[in-house]
Amino acid sequence: MAVDSRRTRALWATATAVLAAAALSACGSGGADPAAAPAPSSAAPSSTATPTDVAPPPVKGKLRGYGTVRQLSETADLVVRGEVEAVGFRVDEVLRAATGSTVRAGARITLTALPAGVPDMAHMSRLEAGQVVVLYLARDAAAPTFRTLSGDFGVFDLSGSGAEAVATTRSRAMAVSGLNAEDPAASGHGFRTTLGQLRTVAAQVK
């Protein structure tokens, strides 16, 4: 009896498929864990960037410290005694003026504050109407105005009258510690002298 070869091949294919299905079923019942996609790692970088702190405003300059009245006198464009007014400053005496200055006793000058952004601005005092002071001033190159040297360093409050009037630094920390030489023991404690002594040092500066 002749056997149809095509029918035989079909039967073998069917048998092979049945055996393969049985083998897969047996593997699943054995508890083996089929290959799975790897779980996402907890160490994967986050797609959300951590916000950074807002950058502080740029510093526009640093204050120079002064150790002596002589240093102030040598640096200042103008050293004057007078009274702070509601608008400006009345000059009662010029202790020293740079060459070419036209400021004289009786004049009124305009004072300006330090530029915004300068360190320690929050610790500076304010000149208020009625205060009698000696000021060590720098002239503004762009306008006919003046500002005190390094803020409070350039301000001495006066009390009394005449050459013996007491001159006291406005600030204890931002203050000189001597007339012609620094006194380390006095640094940070303010400085007190007389108007006469301020005049003498100013006169010695060329």
Side-chain angles (χ1 to χ4, degrees):
M1 180 177 177
V3 178
D4 188 345
S5 61
R6 288 179 294 178
R7 182 177 181 184
T8 302
R9 285 197 296 271
L11 290 174
W12 274 112
T14 301
T16 302
V18 171
L19 290 173
L24 288 174
S25 177
C27 290
S29 63
D33 186 17
S41 171
S42 60
S46 172
S47 60
T48 303
T50 302
T52 58
D53 293 335
V54 177
V59 174
K60 295 188 178 180
K62 294 184 178 181
L63 294 179
R64 171 186 170 179
Y66 293 88
T68 66
V69 171
R70 188 177 187 88
Q71 290 174 0
L72 287 171
S73 301
E74 291 172 340
T75 306
D77 294 316
L78 187 65
V79 183
V80 293
R81 172 182 63 84
E83 183 175 334
V84 182
E85 297 184 325
V87 179
F89 182 81
R90 186 190 73 229
V91 177
D92 294 332
E93 177 185 359
V94 177
L95 281 69
R96 180 180 180 274
T99 302
S101 173
T102 58
V103 177
R104 301 289 184 268
R108 283 173 169 77
I109 59 177
T110 301
L111 303 178
T112 59
L114 290 170
V118 172
D120 299 318
M121 275 292 292
H123 305 291
M124 297 295 175
S125 65
R126 295 184 61 182
L127 292 172
E128 299 180 351
Q131 294 176 338
V132 178
V133 292
V134 170
L135 300 180
Y136 292 79
L137 301 169
R139 189 180 187 280
D140 190 333
T145 59
F146 296 85
R147 57 179 173 76
T148 57
L149 290 180
S150 292
D152 284 351
F153 272 102
V155 183
F156 282 74
D157 291 301
L158 288 178
S159 60
S161 59
E164 296 305 313
V166 176
T168 307
T169 54
R170 171 61 62 93
S171 170
R172 293 174 63 86
M174 296 181 181
V176 300
S177 61
L179 288 171
N180 293 292
E182 296 183 46
D183 180 1
S187 180
H189 300 286
F191 180 72
R192 179 178 294 185
T193 184
T194 65
L195 175 58
Q197 293 283 11
L198 296 183
R199 286 171 175 163
T200 299
V201 174
Q204 294 171 349
V205 176
K206 302 299 182 181

